[in-house]
Amino acid sequence: DYDMQDKIDYVFKVVVIGDSAVGKTQILSRFAKNEFCFDSKSTIGVEFQTKTVTINGKVIKAQIWDTAGQERYRAVTSAYYRGALGAMLVYDITKRQSFDHVVRWVEELRAHADSAIVIMLVGNKGDLEDQRVVSSEDAVEFAEEQGLFFSETSALSGQNVETAFLKLLEEIN
Ligand code: GTP
């Protein structure tokens, strides 16, 4: 691990945002530790995890920040977004409201984050296909309109989680 430190080419800060209970913490645990926890508690305040990956021959340390989606814990904004080069904007494919609110999260990013921030829209809980209420087509259309990358994931099965993070990190420069 000490050896790794010497070899790091870049440190990229990434923020994970979206409504409460969409699976932000679980997506991050899946990516950083390959873990999933069924009875995860709502995040209070801000936490971060790191994961070092190699992309195009460069060693990149991703410092990924996770915060509470609940309004009452959200006193953070500018400090949270400061220096962030990427954002994972997560909604739950089984909760229409979490998708309707994506536009607000994009506004918050545009207001507080660097204008060059790379945004990945993520429809999570893809394992709950039988409870889906947000179609992939609607999400693709919104992402194209807004200039966002898009992916559907499952933190539970792990489907697409790593791919989505790697794509986001790859697009940052
Ligand atoms: P806040 O901290 O309140 O903002 O929530 P969060 O967005 O971090 O959600 P969290 O990761 O705590 O997950 C909320 C609930 O959804 C938990 O019960 C998780 O087990 C569940 N969950 C998260 N991801 C998935 C998934 O991909 N599939 C399924 N079926 N459940 C998931």
Side-chain angles (χ1 to χ4, degrees), residues 1-8 50 52 61:
D1 222 62
Y2 290 104
D3 288 338
M4 280 302 280
Q5 292 292 349
D6 304 333
K7 299 196 184 102
I8 288 165
T50 61
T52 302
K61 181 172 179 170

PDB file of all heavy atoms in Angstrom, residues 1-8 50 52 61:
ATOM      1  N   ASP A   1       0.824  -1.210   0.000  1.00  0.00           N
ATOM      2  CA  ASP A   1       0.000   0.000   0.000  1.00  0.00           C
ATOM      3  C   ASP A   1       0.862   1.266   0.000  1.00  0.00           C
ATOM      4  O   ASP A   1       0.557   2.225  -0.684  1.00  0.00           O
ATOM      5  CB  ASP A   1      -0.940   0.013   1.220  1.00  0.00           C
ATOM      6  CG  ASP A   1      -2.330   0.490   0.800  1.00  0.00           C
ATOM      7  OD1 ASP A   1      -2.953  -0.192  -0.033  1.00  0.00           O
ATOM      8  OD2 ASP A   1      -2.749   1.553   1.283  1.00  0.00           O
ATOM      9  N   TYR A   2       1.968   1.233   0.755  1.00  0.00           N
ATOM     10  CA  TYR A   2       2.879   2.386   0.763  1.00  0.00           C
ATOM     11  C   TYR A   2       3.495   2.578  -0.619  1.00  0.00           C
ATOM     12  O   TYR A   2       3.630   3.678  -1.103  1.00  0.00           O
ATOM     13  CB  TYR A   2       3.982   2.200   1.817  1.00  0.00           C
ATOM     14  CG  TYR A   2       3.449   2.307   3.211  1.00  0.00           C
ATOM     15  CD1 TYR A   2       3.257   1.194   4.004  1.00  0.00           C
ATOM     16  CD2 TYR A   2       3.088   3.569   3.725  1.00  0.00           C
ATOM     17  CE1 TYR A   2       2.732   1.302   5.273  1.00  0.00           C
ATOM     18  CE2 TYR A   2       2.562   3.681   5.001  1.00  0.00           C
ATOM     19  CZ  TYR A   2       2.384   2.550   5.768  1.00  0.00           C
ATOM     20  OH  TYR A   2       1.870   2.653   7.022  1.00  0.00           O
ATOM     21  N   ASP A   3       3.816   1.437  -1.251  1.00  0.00           N
ATOM     22  CA  ASP A   3       4.387   1.484  -2.590  1.00  0.00           C
ATOM     23  C   ASP A   3       3.412   2.133  -3.572  1.00  0.00           C
ATOM     24  O   ASP A   3       3.802   2.920  -4.412  1.00  0.00           O
ATOM     25  CB  ASP A   3       4.732   0.078  -3.078  1.00  0.00           C
ATOM     26  CG  ASP A   3       5.950  -0.466  -2.347  1.00  0.00           C
ATOM     27  OD1 ASP A   3       6.740   0.342  -1.821  1.00  0.00           O
ATOM     28  OD2 ASP A   3       6.102  -1.690  -2.298  1.00  0.00           O
ATOM     29  N   MET A   4       2.136   1.790  -3.408  1.00  0.00           N
ATOM     30  CA  MET A   4       1.099   2.343  -4.286  1.00  0.00           C
ATOM     31  C   MET A   4       1.106   3.864  -4.247  1.00  0.00           C
ATOM     32  O   MET A   4       0.970   4.519  -5.267  1.00  0.00           O
ATOM     33  CB  MET A   4      -0.298   1.863  -3.859  1.00  0.00           C
ATOM     34  CG  MET A   4      -0.654   0.478  -4.320  1.00  0.00           C
ATOM     35  SD  MET A   4      -0.568   0.298  -6.111  1.00  0.00           S
ATOM     36  CE  MET A   4      -2.112   1.032  -6.598  1.00  0.00           C
ATOM     37  N   GLN A   5       1.273   4.427  -3.054  1.00  0.00           N
ATOM     38  CA  GLN A   5       1.252   5.884  -2.886  1.00  0.00           C
ATOM     39  C   GLN A   5       2.200   6.581  -3.865  1.00  0.00           C
ATOM     40  O   GLN A   5       1.856   7.585  -4.463  1.00  0.00           O
ATOM     41  CB  GLN A   5       1.691   6.272  -1.462  1.00  0.00           C
ATOM     42  CG  GLN A   5       0.722   5.868  -0.385  1.00  0.00           C
ATOM     43  CD  GLN A   5      -0.588   6.636  -0.459  1.00  0.00           C
ATOM     44  OE1 GLN A   5      -0.725   7.617  -1.177  1.00  0.00           O
ATOM     45  NE2 GLN A   5      -1.571   6.179   0.292  1.00  0.00           N
ATOM     46  N   ASP A   6       3.394   5.979  -4.018  1.00  0.00           N
ATOM     47  CA  ASP A   6       4.416   6.592  -4.872  1.00  0.00           C
ATOM     48  C   ASP A   6       4.009   6.581  -6.333  1.00  0.00           C
ATOM     49  O   ASP A   6       4.464   7.386  -7.116  1.00  0.00           O
ATOM     50  CB  ASP A   6       5.745   5.828  -4.744  1.00  0.00           C
ATOM     51  CG  ASP A   6       6.198   5.751  -3.298  1.00  0.00           C
ATOM     52  OD1 ASP A   6       5.820   6.656  -2.525  1.00  0.00           O
ATOM     53  OD2 ASP A   6       6.899   4.798  -2.949  1.00  0.00           O
ATOM     54  N   LYS A   7       3.167   5.634  -6.665  1.00  0.00           N
ATOM     55  CA  LYS A   7       2.863   5.437  -8.077  1.00  0.00           C
ATOM     56  C   LYS A   7       1.602   6.165  -8.529  1.00  0.00           C
ATOM     57  O   LYS A   7       1.244   6.095  -9.699  1.00  0.00           O
ATOM     58  CB  LYS A   7       2.710   3.943  -8.366  1.00  0.00           C
ATOM     59  CG  LYS A   7       3.983   3.154  -8.072  1.00  0.00           C
ATOM     60  CD  LYS A   7       3.945   1.781  -8.714  1.00  0.00           C
ATOM     61  CE  LYS A   7       5.149   0.930  -8.370  1.00  0.00           C
ATOM     62  NZ  LYS A   7       4.879  -0.076  -7.349  1.00  0.00           N
ATOM     63  N   ILE A   8       0.935   6.841  -7.620  1.00  0.00           N
ATOM     64  CA  ILE A   8      -0.318   7.497  -8.003  1.00  0.00           C
ATOM     65  C   ILE A   8      -0.051   8.697  -8.909  1.00  0.00           C
ATOM     66  O   ILE A   8       0.742   9.574  -8.577  1.00  0.00           O
ATOM     67  CB  ILE A   8      -1.120   7.906  -6.745  1.00  0.00           C
ATOM     68  CG1 ILE A   8      -1.680   6.646  -6.092  1.00  0.00           C
ATOM     69  CG2 ILE A   8      -2.251   8.870  -7.097  1.00  0.00           C
ATOM     70  CD1 ILE A   8      -2.178   6.836  -4.702  1.00  0.00           C
ATOM     71  N   THR A  50     -11.913   5.490  -0.767  1.00  0.00           N
ATOM     72  CA  THR A  50     -11.022   5.637  -1.909  1.00  0.00           C
ATOM     73  C   THR A  50     -10.833   4.296  -2.599  1.00  0.00           C
ATOM     74  O   THR A  50     -10.982   3.234  -1.983  1.00  0.00           O
ATOM     75  CB  THR A  50      -9.631   6.156  -1.486  1.00  0.00           C
ATOM     76  OG1 THR A  50      -9.062   5.215  -0.593  1.00  0.00           O
ATOM     77  CG2 THR A  50      -9.719   7.516  -0.820  1.00  0.00           C
ATOM     78  N   THR A  52      -8.147   2.812  -5.806  1.00  0.00           N
ATOM     79  CA  THR A  52      -7.117   3.118  -6.787  1.00  0.00           C
ATOM     80  C   THR A  52      -7.277   2.188  -7.981  1.00  0.00           C
ATOM     81  O   THR A  52      -7.403   0.981  -7.812  1.00  0.00           O
ATOM     82  CB  THR A  52      -5.723   2.983  -6.134  1.00  0.00           C
ATOM     83  OG1 THR A  52      -5.679   3.879  -5.024  1.00  0.00           O
ATOM     84  CG2 THR A  52      -4.620   3.335  -7.106  1.00  0.00           C
ATOM     85  N   LYS A  61      -6.188   7.548  -8.155  1.00  0.00           N
ATOM     86  CA  LYS A  61      -6.817   7.314  -6.863  1.00  0.00           C
ATOM     87  C   LYS A  61      -8.125   8.097  -6.854  1.00  0.00           C
ATOM     88  O   LYS A  61      -8.123   9.334  -6.923  1.00  0.00           O
ATOM     89  CB  LYS A  61      -5.908   7.793  -5.740  1.00  0.00           C
ATOM     90  CG  LYS A  61      -6.485   7.568  -4.367  1.00  0.00           C
ATOM     91  CD  LYS A  61      -5.439   7.900  -3.328  1.00  0.00           C
ATOM     92  CE  LYS A  61      -5.972   7.706  -1.932  1.00  0.00           C
ATOM     93  NZ  LYS A  61      -4.870   7.806  -0.965  1.00  0.00           N
TER      94      LYS A  61
END
